[in-house]
Amino acid sequence: MGRRYFCDFCGRSFQDNLPSRRRHIGGAQHQRLRRAWYEANRDTATLLAEESQKRACRQFLITGRCEFGSSCRFSHYAPEQLEMLRQETQGGKEDLNKDGQPPPTLEAWLRKRENRSFTRDAVTLPEGLPPLAELPPSLLPPPCTGWDHASTPSWGLAALPLPGISVLQSAYPFVL
């Protein structure tokens, strides 16, 4: 089976050759879905400029539906929605996170991290574990100053040299 092309707009895959791609891209369904995707992802400033110039769609306001859909020449936005778009384009809501606070900066995070001190006493253990002093060394948190690598025994092939036998043969006797 040959290579396949996947259209993100339509969610379909088809054979990846020029005639198939042209036929798909020229199709009515692809054109409609592509237009709908770009309509849904328009810039708020552009959307506000277009929608504020249109009159309200009477059919959409009464029934909540319009037979013309996205191709309707009237606006399907309520005045409250237009006001929300106006606030977003002025930067009122884009600069704030969910809590209403400005987003944190890297410098603020680094300052907060520098001020934080870490000690073993500050470590909280999950319920059910014995106290910190009774834990085996493998479960202890790392020391504040880091590990002392000078006192760590060497592991692996470097610790195995035997006279007359290569390091590789001593570690793997089945290798000739």
Side-chain angles (χ1 to χ4, degrees):
M1 187 168 180
R3 292 178 51 185
R4 308 228 9 119
Y5 178 81
F6 182 78
C7 177
D8 290 322
F9 298 116
C10 305
R12 290 186 169 188
S13 65
F14 50 89
Q15 193 174 11
D16 188 19
N17 58 36
L18 189 58
S20 296
R21 229 181 301 149
R22 281 186 178 163
R23 186 173 49 249
H24 175 76
I25 291 172
Q29 181 182 9
H30 176 79
Q31 295 291 330
R32 187 178 71 247
L33 291 172
R34 183 176 176 266
R35 191 177 318 113
W37 187 87
Y38 279 108
E39 184 75 24
N41 294 304
R42 281 193 296 176
D43 181 32
T44 55
T46 308
L47 183 64
L48 178 65
E50 291 175 3
E51 294 296 325
S52 61
Q53 292 176 358
K54 297 179 184 178
R55 290 186 297 168
C57 178
R58 196 176 307 159
Q59 183 72 22
F60 189 78
L61 289 176
I62 294 170
T63 63
R65 297 186 64 179
C66 177
E67 62 184 77
F68 298 104
S70 62
S71 62
C72 182
R73 64 182 185 148
F74 298 105
S75 176
H76 291 171
Y77 281 86
E80 300 85 31
Q81 291 173 321
L82 288 174
E83 185 58 37
M84 286 175 58
L85 280 174
R86 209 170 274 115
Q87 289 176 356
E88 284 183 30
T89 55
Q90 293 171 354
K93 294 204 175 201
E94 292 178 340
D95 297 345
L96 303 177
N97 59 17
K98 294 176 188 172
D99 303 330
Q101 301 293 325
T105 61
L106 178 63
E107 291 80 17
W109 182 82
L110 288 171
R111 253 185 275 112
K112 183 179 174 184
R113 185 164 170 84
E114 283 177 2
N115 294 337
R116 185 174 64 181
S117 63
F118 177 76
T119 61
R120 276 195 170 194
D121 301 333
V123 175
T124 58
L125 298 174
E127 291 184 29
L129 283 180
L132 194 62
E134 297 176 15
L135 286 176
S138 62
L139 294 179
L140 287 174
C144 302
T145 57
W147 299 106
D148 181 20
H149 294 290
S151 65
T152 307
S154 62
W155 293 81
L157 299 176
L160 298 173
L162 298 173
I165 300 176
S166 73
V167 174
L168 187 60
Q169 288 175 339
S170 65
Y172 303 101
F174 53 87
V175 176
L176 297 174

